[in-house]
Amino acid sequence: MARATINDVATSAGVSTATVSRLLNGLNVSSGTADRIWKAVAELDYTPNALTRGVFAGRSSTIGVIIRDLDSPYYLELMRGIEEAATAHDSLVMFANTFSRVDREWAHVQKMDEQRVRGLILTTGPDSDARARRMAAAGTPCVIVGRAADLSPNLHSISLDNIKAGQLIGGHLLACGRSSIAVITMGNREQGILRIRGLRSVLNEHDIELPDSAVRAVEAKEEVFTAIAELLADARANGSPIDAVVCMSDLLTRHIYEALHKLGRRVPDDVGLIAVGDFDWAETLGMTVIAQPTYEMGLEAATLIVTAPQEPVRIVQEPRLIVRRSCGEE
Amino acid sequence: MARATINDVATSAGVSTATVSRLLNGLNVSSGTADRIWKAVAELDYTPNALTRGVFAGRSSTIGVIIRDLDSPYYLELMRGIEEAATAHDSLVMFANTFSRVDREWAHVQKMDEQRVRGLILTTGPDSDARARRMAAAGTPCVIVGRAADLSPNLHSISLDNIKAGQLIGGHLLACGRSSIAVITMGNREQGILRIRGLRSVLNEHDIELPDSAVRAVEAKEEVFTAIAELLADARANGSPIDAVVCMSDLLTRHIYEALHKLGRRVPDDVGLIAVGDFDWAETLGMTVIAQPTYEMGLEAATLIVTAPQEPVRIVQEPRLIVRRSCGEE
DNA sequence: TTGAAAGCGCTAACAG
DNA sequence: CTGTTAGCGCTTTCAA
């Protein structure tokens, strides 16, 4: 049951380990010797030890990914993109999920560093930026996905143009004749803040205000129903009933949709609904959304790791409006 | 930029590498020496090399996962479970996605073996079973998830009781007064076949037949619409219009739902709909489903790797019927 | 409690 | 084209 080593293969083929190593790495070996070695490899079921190779190279060929919380299909697409690029470059992907716990975040970055990953992709909040920056400085390329982080050597970022996303939303809503808008966002993340800023800018151009009271930052999905109920009630009390709800986080979309239904508001007849983040059922349900090229982001992130450009790179992706039915006609 | 090694730490602290190694591994070291070593570790930003440790141990502490196609939220849950258990045991998770290409499957198993993973979890089809069995025989625990594979030493399986799932479906449909049933399944996978068998058994007990013509195996989502349209038309022509559609694969659920809507059939008024595989929107849409404990399966799979029982283990999970509205009242 | 030395499985000069 | 030799960074006897 003991695994065959390169030594066993060499002995069995009657050559030195160096020759075996050379053959395995595609260097020149006479065809006779090669045959004997391959035969030995097959007989002994020899599988080279990537760990040892990594020791020698100073790093492994694995790409590390740290996910904040594997709770959204967004990550499915991102990981597919990463995996695709990694496989193309003969890399594997190692991932860790923090379950949104910041303390785990740091530990996972550390672990990835110990594994001597070829590069690290982070979808986490800014808490572990410092650690990532150290890794980057020490020579491990890092890519921060989703936020436009402060760059430094070897530290790149790929993010959505969040301002633009907000503007797209504003433009569409206006075009659909909706101007009394409520916004639901998740926590106080940078992404949401920028999207709201973009939305406001468009609204303001048309002399429409988006008062702070019309924006709710919830901490959890469970708060959505109450938030929506209050938003609708307040606006009605003010004499300007809401005619569109904007969802700034894909985690919340379903809950907003559900809340609206429970509150007896028909979409889009009574109220429009638009969300950031496309998803499978959106098509079926006719939900208008702002899509971000998630798969491509994964692809680019992994490619950045592999190509390891000297200068830090900041990639900003264009959001795309997908008009379906949930805001009515333009 | 060159990374500090254990040697650098030892030199800096004025001790031997052996002492540093001992401290790092929790063995006894006098407190004075320990202080000096920790100081050196901090100063040099020393991060132990897990690769080298793995070489020594003969294997890494990483758990490998091979996913057939990262296309379903099913995997999100599974991976969360795996990750949770792995983290609890101080392991990382390495994953590879085959994008449903069988040729990649073999290559990925090979790669995982080269990485000397602590254990391997496979969600793939039976094509790479042989390779996994070899790995298992060589001492790497393997867990096949989703299929009740033939067991051998170190090769375990975790699967759903698919027959039972089919029976649950049959029971519920009957209870809702539906007996003219159409089934859509994905390809010719074992899971689907067993589920249909379970469904038939219940139906037969009540002298109801499920003719082969009422069962369609599609190869891709795109075929769903046509399949549904034909199924409905055929049954109507036969004078026994379909009153329930069963979806045996979570990948197809949305497309069946959509096809039914496009064909003008209201759920559940005109036709009932029940699917294997729970999902977020199912709750919102009132879709009755058979849920499988995916997160728990991930948890158990990873735990099996870590505990590495000598005897092969076969875990069979109980499916659970979640009644919502899509089949009407019981 | 500590250090010297050997070695894990592999690669990379350097001769031959 | 091939073997010898010296490591990669770490762990683990074995003595001291």
Side-chain angles (χ1 to χ4, degrees):
Chain A
M1 215 178 84
R3 270 162 181 289
T5 71
I6 200 173
N7 234 302
D8 301 325
V9 174
T11 311
S12 162
V15 296
S16 75
T17 59
T19 305
V20 178
S21 172
R22 274 190 287 259
L23 177 63
L24 262 30
N25 290 293
L27 300 180
N28 275 340
V29 165
S30 75
S31 71
T33 338
D35 289 348
R36 291 213 313 286
I37 297 177
W38 284 128
K39 197 162 143 267
V41 165
E43 266 169 13
L44 300 172
D45 195 16
Y46 170 67
T47 310
N49 187 332
L51 262 25
T52 312
R53 284 185 164 163
V55 171
F56 216 83
R59 38 181 61 290
S60 81
S61 69
T62 303
I63 295 175
V65 182
I66 298 188
I67 304 263
R68 185 207 283 260
D69 195 358
L70 211 51
D71 55 0
S72 146
Y74 167 85
Y75 291 114
L76 232 43
E77 279 305 295
L78 188 72
M79 290 178 87
R80 295 184 100 224
I82 294 172
E83 228 282 340
E84 177 76 50
T87 300
H89 293 275
D90 224 43
S91 252
L92 279 169
V93 178
M94 185 172 255
F95 90 100
N97 179 19
T98 70
F99 289 89
S100 288
R101 274 179 259 169
V102 177
D103 54 313
R104 285 200 186 184
E105 214 167 274
W106 195 91
H108 277 141
V109 178
Q110 171 75 18
K111 275 232 151 215
M112 292 289 183
D113 198 8
E114 291 182 3
Q115 298 290 329
R116 297 293 189 266
V117 289
R118 177 175 187 171
L120 189 59
I121 298 173
L122 305 271
T123 71
T124 47
D127 301 279
S128 38
D129 279 11
R131 185 77 184 72
R133 203 175 305 279
R134 279 231 307 286
M135 270 184 77
T140 307
C142 295
V143 182
I144 294 181
V145 174
R147 284 180 299 123
D150 288 341
L151 270 30
S152 60
N154 261 324
L155 185 68
H156 316 102
S157 88
I158 301 186
S159 58
L160 190 71
D161 185 339
N162 286 301
I163 299 265
K164 182 75 174 287
Q167 292 171 335
L168 248 23
I169 292 174
H172 180 62
L173 255 19
L174 256 19
C176 292
R178 318 218 171 217
S179 58
S180 180
I181 295 162
V183 176
I184 303 276
T185 183
M186 182 67 138
N188 279 313
R189 301 198 188 147
E190 185 193 308
Q191 293 94 327
I193 294 172
L194 294 175
R195 289 167 193 170
I196 291 170
R197 187 177 303 162
L199 171 59
R200 269 213 173 92
S201 75
V202 171
L203 260 24
N204 290 349
E205 278 173 21
H206 293 257
D207 291 322
I208 297 169
E209 245 210 304
L210 178 66
D212 283 342
S213 60
V215 176
R216 290 292 173 103
V218 301
E219 292 302 327
K221 313 171 188 175
E222 290 70 27
E223 300 173 15
V224 168
F225 184 84
T226 313
I228 291 279
E230 289 177 4
L231 239 19
L232 293 178
D234 288 359
R236 193 178 294 187
N238 286 343
S240 55
I242 298 297
D243 61 14
V245 175
V246 178
C247 171
M248 291 302 191
S249 161
D250 59 350
L251 253 32
L252 270 20
T253 311
R254 182 169 76 84
H255 296 87
I256 295 177
Y257 178 97
E258 197 168 315
L260 256 15
H261 272 253
K262 281 195 184 144
L263 292 165
R265 305 307 180 94
R266 287 165 310 153
V267 173
D269 303 334
D270 300 330
V271 61
L273 177 56
I274 182 169
V276 177
D278 196 15
F279 56 100
D280 278 355
W281 280 89
E283 199 187 325
T284 307
L285 299 172
M287 183 98 72
T288 293
V289 298
I290 301 293
Q292 58 185 120
T294 318
Y295 179 84
E296 288 73 18
M297 286 167 81
L299 221 49
E300 295 212 59
T303 305
L304 227 32
I305 298 293
V306 174
T307 54
Q310 285 292 314
E311 294 305 304
V313 174
R314 159 167 290 137
I315 296 178
V316 177
Q317 299 272 357
E318 283 297 295
R320 204 159 46 87
L321 171 69
I322 301 183
V323 178
R324 292 198 266 244
R325 301 183 306 271
S326 63
C327 294
E329 303 272 312
E330 282 217 342
Chain B
M1 213 179 84
R3 273 162 179 287
T5 70
I6 200 172
N7 234 301
D8 301 325
V9 175
T11 312
S12 161
V15 296
S16 75
T17 59
T19 306
V20 178
S21 171
R22 274 189 288 258
L23 177 64
L24 262 29
N25 290 294
L27 299 182
N28 276 340
V29 165
S30 76
S31 73
T33 346
D35 289 349
R36 292 211 313 285
I37 297 177
W38 284 129
K39 198 163 143 268
V41 165
E43 267 170 13
L44 300 171
D45 193 16
Y46 171 66
T47 310
N49 187 333
L51 262 25
T52 311
R53 284 187 164 163
V55 171
F56 221 90
R59 37 181 59 295
S60 81
S61 69
T62 303
I63 295 175
V65 183
I66 300 187
I67 305 261
R68 187 206 282 260
D69 195 358
L70 210 51
D71 56 0
S72 147
Y74 168 86
Y75 291 113
L76 232 42
E77 279 306 296
L78 188 73
M79 289 177 88
R80 294 183 101 226
I82 293 172
E83 228 284 339
E84 177 76 49
T87 300
H89 293 275
D90 224 44
S91 251
L92 280 169
V93 178
M94 186 173 255
F95 89 99
N97 179 19
T98 69
F99 290 89
S100 290
R101 273 179 260 166
V102 177
D103 54 315
R104 286 201 186 183
E105 214 167 275
W106 195 91
H108 276 141
V109 177
Q110 171 76 17
K111 275 231 151 216
M112 293 288 182
D113 198 8
E114 291 181 3
Q115 298 289 328
R116 297 294 189 265
V117 290
R118 178 176 187 170
L120 189 59
I121 298 173
L122 305 269
T123 71
T124 46
D127 302 277
S128 39
D129 279 10
R131 185 76 184 73
R133 203 176 305 279
R134 281 230 305 287
M135 269 183 79
T140 306
C142 295
V143 182
I144 293 180
V145 174
R147 283 181 298 123
D150 289 341
L151 269 31
S152 60
N154 261 323
L155 184 68
H156 315 103
S157 89
I158 301 186
S159 58
L160 190 71
D161 185 339
N162 285 302
I163 298 267
K164 182 75 175 288
Q167 292 171 336
L168 248 23
I169 292 173
H172 180 63
L173 255 18
L174 256 19
C176 292
R178 318 221 171 214
S179 58
S180 181
I181 295 163
V183 177
I184 303 275
T185 184
M186 182 67 136
N188 279 313
R189 301 197 188 146
E190 184 193 307
Q191 293 94 328
I193 294 171
L194 294 174
R195 289 168 193 171
I196 292 170
R197 188 177 303 163
L199 171 59
R200 269 213 173 93
S201 74
V202 170
L203 259 26
N204 289 350
E205 277 173 20
H206 292 258
D207 291 321
I208 297 170
E209 244 210 303
L210 179 66
D212 283 341
S213 61
V215 176
R216 288 293 172 103
V218 301
E219 292 302 327
K221 314 169 186 176
E222 290 69 28
E223 302 173 14
V224 168
F225 183 84
T226 314
I228 291 278
E230 289 177 3
L231 239 19
L232 294 178
D234 288 0
R236 192 178 295 188
N238 287 344
S240 56
I242 298 299
D243 60 14
V245 174
V246 177
C247 171
M248 292 302 192
S249 161
D250 59 349
L251 252 33
L252 270 19
T253 311
R254 181 169 76 84
H255 296 87
I256 295 176
Y257 178 97
E258 197 167 315
L260 255 16
H261 272 253
K262 280 195 184 145
L263 292 165
R265 306 307 180 92
R266 288 165 309 152
V267 172
D269 303 335
D270 299 330
V271 60
L273 177 55
I274 182 169
V276 177
D278 197 16
F279 56 101
D280 278 354
W281 281 90
E283 200 187 324
T284 307
L285 299 172
M287 184 99 72
T288 293
V289 298
I290 300 294
Q292 57 186 122
T294 318
Y295 179 83
E296 288 72 18
M297 285 168 80
L299 221 48
E300 295 212 58
T303 305
L304 227 33
I305 298 292
V306 174
T307 54
Q310 285 291 314
E311 295 303 304
V313 174
R314 158 168 290 137
I315 296 178
V316 177
Q317 300 272 358
E318 283 298 294
R320 202 160 48 86
L321 172 68
I322 301 182
V323 177
R324 295 199 264 244
R325 301 183 307 271
S326 63
C327 295
E329 302 273 311
E330 281 216 343

PDB file of all heavy atoms in Angstrom, chain B residues 143-158:
ATOM      1  N   VAL B 143     -15.303   9.292  -1.234  1.00  0.00           N
ATOM      2  CA  VAL B 143     -16.741   9.252  -0.985  1.00  0.00           C
ATOM      3  C   VAL B 143     -17.469   9.623  -2.273  1.00  0.00           C
ATOM      4  O   VAL B 143     -17.215  10.681  -2.846  1.00  0.00           O
ATOM      5  CB  VAL B 143     -17.152  10.251   0.114  1.00  0.00           C
ATOM      6  CG1 VAL B 143     -18.648  10.150   0.378  1.00  0.00           C
ATOM      7  CG2 VAL B 143     -16.361  10.015   1.386  1.00  0.00           C
ATOM      8  N   ILE B 144     -18.336   8.761  -2.703  1.00  0.00           N
ATOM      9  CA  ILE B 144     -19.132   9.056  -3.882  1.00  0.00           C
ATOM     10  C   ILE B 144     -20.475   9.590  -3.413  1.00  0.00           C
ATOM     11  O   ILE B 144     -21.166   8.940  -2.632  1.00  0.00           O
ATOM     12  CB  ILE B 144     -19.284   7.795  -4.743  1.00  0.00           C
ATOM     13  CG1 ILE B 144     -17.898   7.452  -5.304  1.00  0.00           C
ATOM     14  CG2 ILE B 144     -20.296   8.016  -5.849  1.00  0.00           C
ATOM     15  CD1 ILE B 144     -17.849   6.257  -6.178  1.00  0.00           C
ATOM     16  N   VAL B 145     -20.793  10.793  -3.853  1.00  0.00           N
ATOM     17  CA  VAL B 145     -22.013  11.439  -3.391  1.00  0.00           C
ATOM     18  C   VAL B 145     -23.079  11.411  -4.477  1.00  0.00           C
ATOM     19  O   VAL B 145     -22.815  11.791  -5.618  1.00  0.00           O
ATOM     20  CB  VAL B 145     -21.729  12.902  -2.990  1.00  0.00           C
ATOM     21  CG1 VAL B 145     -23.016  13.625  -2.646  1.00  0.00           C
ATOM     22  CG2 VAL B 145     -20.772  12.947  -1.809  1.00  0.00           C
ATOM     23  N   GLY B 146     -24.244  10.939  -4.128  1.00  0.00           N
ATOM     24  CA  GLY B 146     -25.362  10.983  -5.060  1.00  0.00           C
ATOM     25  C   GLY B 146     -25.718   9.650  -5.685  1.00  0.00           C
ATOM     26  O   GLY B 146     -26.812   9.472  -6.193  1.00  0.00           O
ATOM     27  N   ARG B 147     -24.757   8.737  -5.677  1.00  0.00           N
ATOM     28  CA  ARG B 147     -25.009   7.416  -6.231  1.00  0.00           C
ATOM     29  C   ARG B 147     -24.630   6.373  -5.190  1.00  0.00           C
ATOM     30  O   ARG B 147     -23.672   6.552  -4.448  1.00  0.00           O
ATOM     31  CB  ARG B 147     -24.127   7.166  -7.450  1.00  0.00           C
ATOM     32  CG  ARG B 147     -24.567   7.856  -8.704  1.00  0.00           C
ATOM     33  CD  ARG B 147     -23.623   7.507  -9.833  1.00  0.00           C
ATOM     34  NE  ARG B 147     -22.267   7.958  -9.553  1.00  0.00           N
ATOM     35  CZ  ARG B 147     -21.195   7.172  -9.525  1.00  0.00           C
ATOM     36  NH1 ARG B 147     -21.302   5.875  -9.740  1.00  0.00           N
ATOM     37  NH2 ARG B 147     -20.007   7.670  -9.266  1.00  0.00           N
ATOM     38  N   ALA B 148     -25.358   5.250  -5.206  1.00  0.00           N
ATOM     39  CA  ALA B 148     -24.994   4.168  -4.291  1.00  0.00           C
ATOM     40  C   ALA B 148     -23.993   3.268  -5.008  1.00  0.00           C
ATOM     41  O   ALA B 148     -24.345   2.237  -5.541  1.00  0.00           O
ATOM     42  CB  ALA B 148     -26.235   3.391  -3.889  1.00  0.00           C
ATOM     43  N   ALA B 149     -22.737   3.696  -5.036  1.00  0.00           N
ATOM     44  CA  ALA B 149     -21.724   2.962  -5.790  1.00  0.00           C
ATOM     45  C   ALA B 149     -21.371   1.636  -5.110  1.00  0.00           C
ATOM     46  O   ALA B 149     -21.645   1.436  -3.935  1.00  0.00           O
ATOM     47  CB  ALA B 149     -20.475   3.825  -5.923  1.00  0.00           C
ATOM     48  N   ASP B 150     -20.770   0.752  -5.891  1.00  0.00           N
ATOM     49  CA  ASP B 150     -20.249  -0.486  -5.312  1.00  0.00           C
ATOM     50  C   ASP B 150     -19.125  -0.125  -4.369  1.00  0.00           C
ATOM     51  O   ASP B 150     -18.168   0.543  -4.761  1.00  0.00           O
ATOM     52  CB  ASP B 150     -19.675  -1.388  -6.409  1.00  0.00           C
ATOM     53  CG  ASP B 150     -20.782  -1.976  -7.261  1.00  0.00           C
ATOM     54  OD1 ASP B 150     -21.936  -1.986  -6.787  1.00  0.00           O
ATOM     55  OD2 ASP B 150     -20.495  -2.400  -8.387  1.00  0.00           O
ATOM     56  N   LEU B 151     -19.238  -0.601  -3.159  1.00  0.00           N
ATOM     57  CA  LEU B 151     -18.228  -0.223  -2.185  1.00  0.00           C
ATOM     58  C   LEU B 151     -17.012  -1.134  -2.236  1.00  0.00           C
ATOM     59  O   LEU B 151     -17.073  -2.263  -2.729  1.00  0.00           O
ATOM     60  CB  LEU B 151     -18.855  -0.266  -0.783  1.00  0.00           C
ATOM     61  CG  LEU B 151     -19.481   1.027  -0.302  1.00  0.00           C
ATOM     62  CD1 LEU B 151     -20.036   1.862  -1.434  1.00  0.00           C
ATOM     63  CD2 LEU B 151     -20.563   0.763   0.713  1.00  0.00           C
ATOM     64  N   SER B 152     -15.901  -0.589  -1.769  1.00  0.00           N
ATOM     65  CA  SER B 152     -14.703  -1.396  -1.590  1.00  0.00           C
ATOM     66  C   SER B 152     -13.910  -0.708  -0.485  1.00  0.00           C
ATOM     67  O   SER B 152     -14.299   0.372  -0.055  1.00  0.00           O
ATOM     68  CB  SER B 152     -13.924  -1.468  -2.912  1.00  0.00           C
ATOM     69  OG  SER B 152     -13.542  -0.191  -3.345  1.00  0.00           O
ATOM     70  N   PRO B 153     -12.832  -1.307  -0.021  1.00  0.00           N
ATOM     71  CA  PRO B 153     -12.140  -0.690   1.116  1.00  0.00           C
ATOM     72  C   PRO B 153     -11.840   0.785   0.863  1.00  0.00           C
ATOM     73  O   PRO B 153     -11.343   1.141  -0.194  1.00  0.00           O
ATOM     74  CB  PRO B 153     -10.845  -1.503   1.205  1.00  0.00           C
ATOM     75  CG  PRO B 153     -11.203  -2.826   0.646  1.00  0.00           C
ATOM     76  CD  PRO B 153     -12.205  -2.564  -0.425  1.00  0.00           C
ATOM     77  N   ASN B 154     -12.201   1.627   1.822  1.00  0.00           N
ATOM     78  CA  ASN B 154     -11.926   3.062   1.730  1.00  0.00           C
ATOM     79  C   ASN B 154     -12.819   3.818   0.743  1.00  0.00           C
ATOM     80  O   ASN B 154     -12.637   5.011   0.545  1.00  0.00           O
ATOM     81  CB  ASN B 154     -10.479   3.317   1.301  1.00  0.00           C
ATOM     82  CG  ASN B 154      -9.606   3.631   2.472  1.00  0.00           C
ATOM     83  OD1 ASN B 154     -10.053   4.306   3.399  1.00  0.00           O
ATOM     84  ND2 ASN B 154      -8.383   3.165   2.449  1.00  0.00           N
ATOM     85  N   LEU B 155     -13.726   3.114   0.114  1.00  0.00           N
ATOM     86  CA  LEU B 155     -14.612   3.771  -0.847  1.00  0.00           C
ATOM     87  C   LEU B 155     -16.043   3.766  -0.310  1.00  0.00           C
ATOM     88  O   LEU B 155     -16.664   2.710  -0.201  1.00  0.00           O
ATOM     89  CB  LEU B 155     -14.559   3.046  -2.191  1.00  0.00           C
ATOM     90  CG  LEU B 155     -15.364   3.700  -3.314  1.00  0.00           C
ATOM     91  CD1 LEU B 155     -14.737   5.017  -3.715  1.00  0.00           C
ATOM     92  CD2 LEU B 155     -15.436   2.775  -4.524  1.00  0.00           C
ATOM     93  N   HIS B 156     -16.516   4.945   0.042  1.00  0.00           N
ATOM     94  CA  HIS B 156     -17.833   5.053   0.654  1.00  0.00           C
ATOM     95  C   HIS B 156     -18.833   5.720  -0.276  1.00  0.00           C
ATOM     96  O   HIS B 156     -18.446   6.285  -1.288  1.00  0.00           O
ATOM     97  CB  HIS B 156     -17.719   5.867   1.952  1.00  0.00           C
ATOM     98  CG  HIS B 156     -16.555   5.465   2.797  1.00  0.00           C
ATOM     99  ND1 HIS B 156     -15.401   6.201   2.862  1.00  0.00           N
ATOM    100  CD2 HIS B 156     -16.360   4.390   3.572  1.00  0.00           C
ATOM    101  CE1 HIS B 156     -14.541   5.595   3.671  1.00  0.00           C
ATOM    102  NE2 HIS B 156     -15.103   4.493   4.115  1.00  0.00           N
ATOM    103  N   SER B 157     -20.092   5.682   0.100  1.00  0.00           N
ATOM    104  CA  SER B 157     -21.067   6.398  -0.707  1.00  0.00           C
ATOM    105  C   SER B 157     -22.168   7.010   0.146  1.00  0.00           C
ATOM    106  O   SER B 157     -22.531   6.480   1.189  1.00  0.00           O
ATOM    107  CB  SER B 157     -21.664   5.475  -1.780  1.00  0.00           C
ATOM    108  OG  SER B 157     -22.788   4.801  -1.289  1.00  0.00           O
ATOM    109  N   ILE B 158     -22.632   8.149  -0.301  1.00  0.00           N
ATOM    110  CA  ILE B 158     -23.744   8.827   0.346  1.00  0.00           C
ATOM    111  C   ILE B 158     -24.758   9.131  -0.735  1.00  0.00           C
ATOM    112  O   ILE B 158     -24.436   9.807  -1.703  1.00  0.00           O
ATOM    113  CB  ILE B 158     -23.308  10.165   0.978  1.00  0.00           C
ATOM    114  CG1 ILE B 158     -22.216   9.924   2.004  1.00  0.00           C
ATOM    115  CG2 ILE B 158     -24.491  10.872   1.612  1.00  0.00           C
ATOM    116  CD1 ILE B 158     -21.834  11.166   2.777  1.00  0.00           C
TER     117      ILE B 158
END
